[in-house]
Amino acid sequence: MRHILSMLVENESGALSRIAGLFSARGYNIESLTVAPTDDPSLSRMTLVTSGNDDIVEQIKKQLNKLIDVVKLLDLSEGPHIERELMMIKLRAQGTNREELKRLTDIFRAKIIDVTEASYVVELTGTSSKLDAFMQAVPEGLITEVVRSGPSGIGRGEKALSL
Amino acid sequence: MQQRPAPDSSSEQAPPSDQPLELSGAEIVIQSLIDQGVETVFGYPGGAVLHIYDALFQRSDQIQHILVRHEQGATHAADGYARASGRCGVCLVTSGPGATNAVTGIATAYMDSIPLVVITGQVPTPVIGSDAFQEVDTVGITRPCVKHNFLVKRREDLAATIAKAFYIAQSGRPGPVVVDVPKDVTDPGIKIPYQFQPELKLRSYQPARKGHLGQIRKALEAMQAAERPVFYTGGGVILGNAAAALTELVQALGYPITSTLMGLGAYPMSDAQFIGMLGMHGTYEANMAMHETDCLIAVGARFDDRVTGKIEHFCPHATIIHIDVDPSSISKNVRVDIPIVGPVETVLADLLGLLRETGTPADRPPALKAWWEQIDAWRKLDCMGYDRASELIKPQFAVETLHRVTKGDLYLTSDVGQHQMFAAQFYPFDKPRRWINSGGLGTMGFGLPAAVGVQLAYPDAQVACISGEASILMCIQELATCKQYALPIKVILLNNGYMGMVRQWQEFFYESRYAHSYVDALPDFVALAESFGHVGLRVEKPGELEAAMQEAFAMRDRFVFLDVVVDPTENVYPMIAAGKGQHEMHLPPTMSQRELA
Ligand SMILES: Cc1cc2nc3c(=O)[nH]c(=O)nc-3n(C[C@H](O)[C@H](O)[C@H](O)COP(=O)(O)OP(=O)(O)OC[C@H]3O[C@@H](n4cnc5c(N)ncnc54)[C@H](O)[C@@H]3O)c2cc1C
Ligand SMILES: Cc1ncc(C[n+]2csc(CCOP(=O)(O)OP(=O)(O)O)c2C)c(N)n1
Ligand SMILES: [Mg+2]
């Protein structure tokens, strides 16, 4: 199963490599990893998407918690949560395709943020599966470049992941 | 046993007034060590640590530095010191090759959860990343084999970082911590205020201090309801100094107990309730008890693959209770029914408290009686029998003789191979911290430098290193360290002329194709020892062994290297082949197959 793990991590230079190193050393899956500082400059917030059976994910969480730099960890998949990912996608937009891609962009409530005679850059935010769906919907051969941030997540409701 | 005084946090050097000391980075390193109660540092100098060595030189009345002959030796010596004394081992090595040489020792300590603080020199901060002379990314190289590591970029962070390193290394599940210190940070010309902070709290690191009482109660109920219980204890009992509590609990319940290689001595091995080591080279009775038990009580053990064998066949009938301070040890390899996260020392105390409330039955319940009858029947098969009439010295006989000659009062370090297993099987340790070996990493070369550390921790104790002719050569340079500090260690070399453990696997699993397991061109070990200024002895006949050992141990102030020529073809039995179930053992030729049916 896919799990979204959200972590507060000491904002120190080695923290990211400790986490990445843990996954490669122990052979765990890592689908995506996003990291940026928070309102507290001493902390970074990290969202990590992984997958595996229950035993493996349990072990991944224990191993992450064991890292001295990991201050708090929450498995967002265990409760109601919101997940967002940003994608910027460059499309070949010429002739009749231009209209069709514009329509598709509207349907997905995406935005065209850069235009040339031959291309669009489309920005789209949503769950990872929505982003997947958009890419599926683009006619064959028109995608020239894809940049995805990997998902970030936050729990629903009042409760916050903080110190 | 000589006990060293506990480190005194209110060091004599602390200034009487509130006025903080003004120290250079190099002085801060040394003052921090002194304030932590460190008495002995194992190290080897080099460019990046010269400021620190100069500060050390000036405080040599308060802190002893042991000059090893290779940085691997420094880490193993600090490790042996830590295993024997229960205190934190400390090393000081230079950047680049100094740090990389230390890595094997750091990984060895990491695998066995041994508390070390390793201070490595680093190139000056302005040139970090420029491939400067003797620069390596020490933090990067050691990251996967440390509990934690630090690169100290600012002098102002030095004291706090060293304090954190000691705290992290010694608390929770212990482990090695590396502190990488760039040379400019230790500049003797720049002084800053220094204050020792004995109390530490880290927001991101809070090891468990107590087990959950509800879980502990549940565990005790399961233990008392069991008909075929067995204790399976490990290195965690020794690390947590919980041998006395464990012994009390096991004896109050009257249950059989087996131990991993790392836990030997936590419960007296010569006691009748001890059924031998378990696992790959464990006893028949211990492995069969594991296979048949209905309640496994795992204490400070980590279900290593040398213990579990094939997981599908591991304790198929048991409710499993697991006490461990590290949550990630629990249900890692084997799913556990009643987990208890907490330090063994407090959890066992809680269990004993509850047991006193409920009380133990005056007589053994009938089911437990039947269980002991079964175990005794397994025991009778004598799975560790060997040919006692042999014309050659059998390694098992050598270890038994060692036990007799030392009267069981010995700190024994080991290298890795058959000799290690024979020692574990045939030397009954009745006290914790007496059996000192590399289990998790299985590092050949560990034994001699580890003995250096042990002897320095206990200068008056009998210390021996059991080794093989292949292993001993891996850190043989430490013979010089032993000379310099006049360490009266005894090396007992079980010289079979082979990498015996490798040869055994090749005999069993590669149709006796002995690919490169024969150690050709061996040195004359007697002459070798003598060339370092030690006493060398050789013995080749069983009848002469005891006298030779007596002679060696009688030289109380000399390092003696005893080269014992043993049967080159002896194998370690029982043996569970890798990937086999714990009930599927290779048994010694002395044990007839019919008896086992
Ligand atoms: C040639 C060779 C052969 C071997 N054959 C065998 C064999 O036949 N049998 C065998 O058993 N081993 C054998 N080993 C050793 C094996 O590889 C492992 O090192 C060993 O089994 C691990 O022991 P352990 O489970 O006690 O764990 P350790 O490595 O000692 O780990 C200790 C455990 O206790 C926990 N702990 C630490 N401190 C505390 C505390 N205060 N409170 C609670 N928990 C704590 C830790 O989290 C950890 O889970 C062999 C090794 C070699 C080199
Ligand atoms: C550094 C290192 N290299 C290789 C091994 C693999 N290995 C395990 S036991 C062994 C042979 C040890 O031979 P010896 O020291 O003579 O001991 P014996 O088995 O003969 O008692 C080897 C090569 C190891 N454990 N450590
Ligand atoms: Mg050998």
Side-chain angles (χ1 to χ4, degrees):
Chain A
M1 203 186 114
R2 177 175 181 266
H3 285 252
I4 307 190
L5 307 181
S6 204
M7 283 173 273
L8 286 174
V9 175
E10 296 288 356
N11 190 4
E12 285 181 19
S13 59
L16 183 60
S17 42
R18 279 181 222 283
I19 289 168
L22 174 70
F23 276 73
S24 64
R26 294 191 182 263
Y28 302 143
N29 286 320
I30 187 160
E31 285 175 16
S32 71
L33 179 64
T34 69
V35 52
T38 62
D39 55 327
D40 175 347
S42 72
L43 288 173
S44 295
R45 173 80 173 235
M46 215 177 258
T47 309
L48 189 152
V49 180
T50 184
S51 61
N53 67 34
D54 289 354
D55 288 346
I56 291 175
V57 173
E58 194 54 42
Q59 189 55 214
I60 291 175
K61 290 192 263 185
K62 286 173 172 176
Q63 292 290 346
L64 284 168
N65 261 318
K66 197 168 142 178
L67 293 177
I68 309 282
D69 287 336
V70 173
V71 186
K72 261 194 175 175
L73 180 147
L74 182 69
D75 185 351
L76 289 176
S77 324
E78 282 176 349
H81 65 279
I82 302 157
E83 174 192 337
R84 288 290 180 273
E85 182 175 359
L86 168 71
M87 172 164 74
M88 289 182 279
I89 182 167
K90 195 170 280 183
L91 302 169
R92 195 170 286 124
Q94 280 169 311
T96 54
N97 284 334
R98 266 183 108 74
E99 249 330 284
E100 183 170 356
L101 289 174
K102 174 81 178 63
R103 243 191 338 270
L104 204 59
T105 305
D106 291 341
I107 293 168
F108 277 84
R109 293 193 204 147
K111 271 188 287 187
I112 298 174
I113 55 173
D114 182 65
V115 184
T116 69
E117 269 168 29
S119 71
Y120 286 153
V121 173
V122 175
E123 174 195 324
L124 176 55
T125 318
T127 62
S128 303
S129 55
K130 178 177 168 180
L131 271 46
D132 293 341
F134 181 85
M135 287 169 64
Q136 287 283 314
V138 174
E140 185 89 28
L142 298 189
I143 299 177
T144 59
E145 192 177 342
V146 176
V147 187
R148 293 175 65 153
S149 65
S152 297
I154 194 163
R156 285 190 183 275
E158 269 172 60
K159 233 180 119 202
L161 179 65
S162 61
L163 291 192
Chain B
M1 194 167 84
Q2 315 89 312
Q3 202 64 57
R4 296 225 152 194
D8 183 3
S9 54
S10 61
S11 159
E12 290 164 3
Q13 272 61 51
S17 67
D18 290 344
Q19 208 58 24
L21 292 168
E22 291 279 328
L23 301 178
S24 72
E27 289 166 336
I28 288 175
V29 172
I30 301 307
Q31 187 62 49
S32 297
L33 297 183
I34 292 170
D35 286 343
Q36 291 288 344
V38 174
E39 292 167 359
T40 309
V41 177
F42 301 87
Y44 205 89
V49 286
L50 281 181
H51 297 329
I52 303 178
Y53 266 86
D54 194 49
L56 180 67
F57 186 79
Q58 297 182 35
R59 304 295 294 277
S60 52
D61 53 328
Q62 282 157 294
I63 190 159
Q64 178 188 26
H65 176 271
I66 301 299
L67 178 68
V68 294
R69 295 303 188 270
H70 186 297
E71 290 85 353
Q72 180 181 352
T75 44
H76 290 330
D79 178 323
Y81 179 93
R83 291 185 204 231
S85 68
R87 305 174 67 192
C88 191
V90 181
C91 308
L92 175 58
V93 300
T94 192
S95 68
T100 54
N101 272 352
V103 169
T104 299
I106 295 170
T108 302
Y110 178 69
M111 288 297 277
D112 292 341
S113 305
I114 305 304
L116 292 189
V117 169
V118 180
I119 296 173
T120 53
Q122 183 55 278
V123 300
T125 48
V127 298
I128 286 181
S130 69
D131 301 320
F133 177 63
Q134 295 197 326
E135 175 179 9
V136 294
D137 175 7
T138 300
V139 162
I141 288 174
T142 58
R143 187 177 299 122
C145 60
V146 292
K147 184 169 174 187
H148 198 59
N149 57 19
F150 298 95
L151 170 63
V152 186
K153 288 196 187 135
R154 297 171 52 230
R155 196 179 336 268
E156 291 71 25
D157 296 336
L158 195 51
T161 306
I162 294 174
K164 275 187 208 168
F166 274 91
Y167 172 58
I168 291 170
Q170 294 175 279
S171 54
R173 178 180 185 166
V177 177
V178 167
V179 184
D180 199 25
V181 187
K183 189 167 185 182
D184 55 326
V185 169
T186 62
D187 187 339
I190 307 174
K191 308 237 176 189
I192 58 167
Y194 165 87
Q195 199 132 41
F196 177 56
Q197 252 138 31
E199 293 294 314
L200 254 189
K201 264 198 102 151
L202 297 180
R203 64 179 178 184
S204 59
Y205 172 69
Q206 281 130 9
R209 308 225 174 258
K210 293 279 281 178
H212 186 277
L213 237 112
Q215 288 292 94
I216 295 175
R217 209 177 294 271
K218 214 164 118 189
L220 187 61
E221 279 163 19
M223 280 155 71
Q224 288 180 313
E227 298 193 335
R228 298 184 308 282
V230 64
F231 276 90
Y232 147 49
T233 63
V237 179
I238 292 174
L239 294 164
N241 295 315
L246 174 77
T247 305
E248 189 181 344
L249 181 68
V250 171
Q251 294 187 345
L253 290 167
Y255 294 173
I257 171 171
T258 176
S259 164
T260 67
L261 182 70
M262 303 317 290
L264 297 178
Y267 185 90
M269 289 173 74
S270 51
D271 186 82
Q273 272 173 255
F274 189 73
I275 59 173
M277 182 171 83
L278 83 168
M280 181 173 275
H281 293 298
T283 63
Y284 184 70
E285 48 273 28
N287 285 324
M288 289 308 286
M290 292 292 285
H291 196 253
E292 297 302 323
T293 181
D294 66 347
C295 180
L296 180 68
I297 308 150
V299 189
R302 60 183 172 82
F303 296 79
D304 182 79
D305 52 86
R306 294 240 150 167
V307 163
T308 59
K310 201 175 173 76
I311 297 283
E312 289 92 289
H313 298 302
F314 181 75
C315 300
H317 318 289
T319 297
I320 302 181
I321 299 164
H322 187 187
I323 303 168
D324 203 293
V325 74
D326 177 1
S328 77
S329 271
I330 294 178
S331 295
K332 180 171 68 177
N333 301 332
V334 171
R335 221 183 264 167
V336 167
D337 301 292
I338 308 177
I340 301 171
V341 176
V344 274
E345 50 278 30
T346 67
V347 174
L348 290 179
D350 287 343
L351 272 169
L352 279 167
L354 287 177
L355 191 64
R356 276 185 215 111
E357 278 172 30
T358 56
T360 40
D363 288 322
R364 269 188 192 170
L368 187 59
K369 255 190 202 146
W371 179 226
W372 269 115
E373 280 164 21
Q374 170 67 78
I375 288 171
D376 287 337
W378 287 326
R379 252 184 188 164
K380 276 220 183 68
L381 298 176
D382 186 20
C383 67
M384 292 193 319
Y386 66 90
D387 176 11
R388 288 173 189 273
S390 171
E391 308 258 291
L392 299 170
I393 299 177
K394 287 285 185 181
Q396 300 95 325
F397 173 72
V399 176
E400 285 179 342
T401 307
L402 178 66
H403 182 246
R404 212 166 36 246
V405 168
T406 55
K407 304 189 176 67
D409 183 15
L410 181 68
Y411 287 84
L412 184 59
T413 71
S414 179
D415 268 308
V416 172
Q418 289 185 325
H419 59 275
Q420 177 188 22
M421 293 299 110
F422 288 130
Q425 292 179 330
F426 289 90
Y427 197 111
F429 296 93
D430 285 342
K431 287 180 188 162
R433 301 192 179 279
R434 292 303 187 108
W435 167 237
I436 285 157
N437 78 137
S438 163
L441 200 67
T443 308
M444 289 169 70
F446 174 79
L448 180 58
V452 168
V454 176
Q455 190 76 77
L456 283 156
Y458 297 114
D460 301 326
Q462 281 195 127
V463 179
C465 163
I466 194 160
S467 188
E469 74 298 322
S471 292
I472 197 74
L473 289 178
M474 287 215 177
C475 277
I476 196 73
Q477 73 286 347
E478 299 310 329
L479 286 178
T481 311
C482 295
K483 183 66 191 170
Q484 181 172 348
Y485 300 99
L487 303 177
I489 296 163
K490 312 292 180 268
V491 169
I492 310 296
L493 190 77
L494 300 189
N495 187 344
N496 53 12
Y498 279 100
M499 296 175 196
M501 186 55 89
V502 174
R503 192 202 51 74
Q504 175 169 351
W505 282 57
Q506 289 170 334
E507 180 186 330
F508 287 8
F509 312 120
Y510 298 89
E511 299 169 322
S512 299
R513 287 186 298 278
Y514 298 132
H516 302 282
S517 55
Y518 179 68
V519 186
D520 221 342
L522 280 174
D524 173 344
F525 285 108
V526 171
L528 177 73
E530 285 170 351
S531 77
F532 278 91
H534 299 308
V535 179
L537 302 171
R538 178 175 297 119
V539 54
E540 299 180 11
K541 297 205 178 67
E544 293 163 3
L545 181 61
E546 181 152 346
M549 282 194 186
Q550 296 285 13
E551 188 188 345
F553 281 96
M555 287 183 252
R556 299 220 50 138
D557 55 354
R558 291 304 301 270
F559 182 106
V560 183
F561 194 115
L562 182 59
D563 183 11
V564 184
V565 179
V566 298
D567 184 347
T569 60
E570 186 56 287
N571 290 322
V572 183
Y573 295 105
M575 175 174 188
I576 304 172
K580 291 282 185 183
Q582 58 192 172
H583 57 306
E584 304 170 280
M585 283 167 263
H586 282 266
L587 292 158
T590 50
M591 207 169 158
S592 95
Q593 294 302 315
R594 190 167 37 81
E595 284 177 297
L596 299 172

